Amino acid sequence: MKVFRNNKKECALDHWNAIETQPISTLTALFENSADRVERFSHEQSGIYFDFSKTHLDSALLENFQQLAADKGLSEQIEALMNGVAINISEGRAAEHTAERGIGAETSVENAGLLRNRMLGLIEAIEASAFGDIEHIIHLGIGGSALGPELLLEALKLGDEKYQTAIISNIDGCALEPVLERFDAHKTLLVIASKSFTTAETFLNARSVTDWMTEQGVVDPFGKIIALTAMPDKAVEWGVDENRVLPFSDTVGGRYSLWSSIGFSVALTLGIDVFDDLLAGAAEMDRHFKDTSFDRNIPVIAAFCDQYYSQVRNCETRAVFAYDERLKLLPDYLQQLEMESNGKSVTADGKPLDRHSSPIVWGGVGTDAQHAVFQLLHQGTHLVPVEFLAVIEPGHSLASEHHHGLLLNCFAQGAALMTGKKSDDPNRNYPGNRPSVTLLLDDLDGKTLGALIAFYEHRTFANAVLLGINPYDQFGVELGKEMANALLAGDGNQMDSSTETLKNRAFPA
Ligand code: F6P
């Protein structure tokens, strides 16, 4: 296994300094001073029009960020990422999600192809009724084993699918119970998605589903289980027949895993062609990220914008608003992708990080959010860089007023944030000069969505490289798990008095 070493000479401090001290124009001045700003500060890639003209980036900032990226070894790190080099240093392994879409070390691409064929074989067997009459699918998983598949299903389902698929993540029975009430146990396939095959929530839910199957008279509930995991032995040990285990490589991170067998329920529900399109769209974005100079490379430019606002303008959050109901789960998905990847306070070599790590990602759907949180965006004291997403082709057949209204509202918000409106009445004054980026998609099909998600993955990686952190581990989640286990085990160790009181109040002795 090749291990990544960054041998670049670091002049990064000089470039940060240049970025931080550069005089800043207002957004309207940037437009006034450059008639072709929109052409120069927008790019088109894989059905995605990326407009960053309403950000404070200008040619000088772009130039300095490119120098910074060069000093940070971004090109070399992209090459390492896509060649199976062990860039996840703390865990001593590669991060090979791109191999799932055919771009990576030869053996990893080959292996991903073989595992994908195995998944195809199982899908064909289900289609050929090898599991009896299946109408319902319960997909259990949490974090990366649920958020990606759920986003894909919500975004791409047409409503006429052969299977009803429920993705259940929460340990709260309020999530699972209604599904059990609605589904027919005899026609249900249980899909357990867990990279580690140890996650407590997933296995409590799995036990409840198998108990429900037994109660409903299913003779062999374990015969209806499919496991998606990087730990096939653990799945077999748990009782899943090895023919029904769909493994994936442990070099594919949980929040980067929707392209692997973790996407099984998506491929089964939406069809393998849609899944293939997703992979093809993502591969197109991989090639763009790998082969395009930084001045035209959209994940890299998006990372420059992110770094500018979080380091120079001290923005602690970034808001993402999808003006498309089908993408309503995108903010949730991005929260895990970006915050679990880049919410760190040490660099890849274990030194304290002396800059802000990932901003807090939040958001919602337009136009709903306009009537809820946009007050703060337009007039609040926090500066929040906003990201708008919209799709040119509507996902419905209602009157065109719906889609016109939706998209024009989206564009109007970006314009209003930028230009503002002066008033002598302070209550009615809009300061403006508030940045936004717009991603306008031609259509919301498998290919474009694949490219969009890969865009976000690579942007997250580019941000990590600019910060010098490892985006592929997540040790921060372990302590909470450990303490929850201690509480569950009731191992006698006293917690703090607040926690003990809460526990005793909820569960009196
Ligand atoms: O607790 C965090 C985490 O490990 C995520 O990184 C991961 O996506 C999720 O839990 C689920 O893990 P698994 O797929 O191993 O069940």
Side-chain angles (χ1 to χ4, degrees), residues 142-145 194-197 199 254-255 336 340 474 477 481:
I142 197 162
S145 296
S194 176
K195 179 178 174 185
S196 59
F197 224 73
T199 304
R255 55 194 169 276
Q336 188 201 18
E340 196 167 79
Q474 60 283 321
V477 300
K481 284 186 198 171

Side-chain angles (χ1 to χ4, degrees), residues 194-216:
S194 176
K195 179 178 174 185
S196 59
F197 224 73
T198 55
T199 304
E201 292 92 327
T202 301
F203 288 93
L204 183 58
N205 279 330
R207 283 285 171 214
S208 294
V209 176
T210 50
D211 287 352
W212 165 74
M213 285 176 158
T214 308
E215 280 157 24
Q216 298 287 314

Side-chain angles (χ1 to χ4, degrees), residues 36 65 68 102 104 124 155 159 165 197 214 217 232 249 264 272 283 294 306 312 342 348 353 364 421 426 435 489 500:
D36 61 351
F65 268 116
L68 175 71
E124 277 163 15
T165 304
F197 224 73
T214 308
S249 166
F264 167 80
I272 195 67
F294 293 159
D306 295 340
V312 184
N342 289 345
L353 180 68
K421 191 175 171 204
E500 287 295 329

Side-chain angles (χ1 to χ4, degrees), residues 180-460:
L180 301 186
E181 279 163 11
R182 187 156 63 85
F183 281 8
D184 178 344
H186 296 270
K187 296 180 176 175
T188 296
L189 195 65
L190 171 57
V191 179
I192 303 177
S194 176
K195 179 178 174 185
S196 59
F197 224 73
T198 55
T199 304
E201 292 92 327
T202 301
F203 288 93
L204 183 58
N205 279 330
R207 283 285 171 214
S208 294
V209 176
T210 50
D211 287 352
W212 165 74
M213 285 176 158
T214 308
E215 280 157 24
Q216 298 287 314
V218 175
V219 179
D220 175 21
F222 275 70
K224 296 281 188 67
I225 297 181
I226 289 174
L228 322 174
T229 185
M231 305 298 275
D233 293 350
K234 282 197 178 145
V236 172
E237 205 179 299
W238 193 80
V240 186
D241 185 294
E242 78 174 305
N243 292 316
R244 296 192 302 275
V245 177
L246 295 177
F248 64 97
S249 166
D250 75 343
T251 56
V252 175
R255 55 194 169 276
Y256 299 86
S257 64
L258 61 89
W259 323 98
S260 70
S261 66
I262 290 291
F264 167 80
S265 303
V266 177
L268 178 61
T269 310
L270 300 179
I272 195 67
D273 292 349
V274 175
F275 198 69
D276 281 348
D277 285 350
L278 271 165
L279 298 181
E284 218 175 278
M285 189 58 74
D286 294 339
R287 287 190 286 274
H288 168 75
F289 184 53
K290 183 164 75 73
D291 299 333
T292 311
S293 61
F294 293 159
D295 61 336
R296 306 191 56 77
N297 191 316
I298 66 169
V300 173
I301 294 172
F304 291 166
C305 297
D306 295 340
Q307 289 305 313
Y308 175 73
Y309 288 109
S310 63
Q311 311 305 337
V312 184
R313 307 295 289 268
N314 289 314
C315 299
E316 294 198 319
T317 80
R318 186 175 106 248
V320 180
F321 298 102
Y323 274 68
D324 199 297
E325 196 68 19
R326 295 168 292 176
L327 289 173
K328 68 171 180 234
L329 296 180
L330 185 68
D332 292 12
Y333 175 80
L334 293 180
Q335 283 181 332
Q336 188 201 18
L337 177 66
E338 299 188 32
M339 292 162 72
E340 196 167 79
S341 295
N342 289 345
K344 315 268 165 77
S345 33
V346 289
T347 58
D349 48 8
K351 305 218 172 72
L353 180 68
D354 55 4
R355 307 197 151 269
H356 298 300
S357 66
S358 166
I360 296 152
V361 181
W362 63 284
V365 282
T367 59
D368 297 8
Q370 288 175 208
H371 302 276
V373 296
F374 272 52
Q375 164 65 41
L376 179 149
L377 299 177
H378 287 291
Q379 287 188 319
T381 54
H382 297 275
L383 181 66
V384 182
V386 174
E387 189 154 301
F388 294 107
L389 280 108
V391 184
I392 296 177
E393 268 312 302
H396 60 83
S397 53
L398 294 187
S400 61
E401 282 90 331
H402 283 275
H403 204 58
H404 267 94
L406 181 71
L407 265 51
L408 296 181
N409 263 282
C410 172
F411 307 152
Q413 293 301 320
L417 286 166
M418 176 168 81
T419 56
K421 191 175 171 204
K422 298 275 164 282
S423 167
D424 293 337
D425 174 355
N427 293 305
R428 293 181 168 77
N429 187 53
Y430 299 83
N433 197 27
R434 298 185 172 210
S436 65
V437 156
T438 303
L439 293 158
L440 184 59
L441 278 52
D442 291 340
D443 200 356
L444 190 61
D445 52 15
K447 217 168 159 209
T448 317
L449 187 58
L452 181 73
I453 297 172
F455 158 81
Y456 281 113
E457 288 179 345
H458 294 323
R459 170 194 194 156
T460 303

Side-chain angles (χ1 to χ4, degrees), residues 80-133:
L81 170 75
M82 298 208 185
N83 281 297
V85 177
I87 54 171
N88 177 358
I89 293 174
S90 60
E91 296 181 312
R93 62 184 180 214
E96 299 198 281
H97 40 287
T98 64
E100 300 293 318
R101 22 241 212 195
I103 296 182
E106 210 177 308
T107 48
S108 309
V109 170
E110 236 172 71
N111 190 39
L114 292 174
L115 295 177
R116 200 174 150 281
N117 286 343
R118 189 178 159 94
M119 172 167 110
L120 275 184
L122 201 52
I123 289 178
E124 277 163 15
I126 295 163
E127 295 283 299
S129 303
F131 288 72
D133 182 14

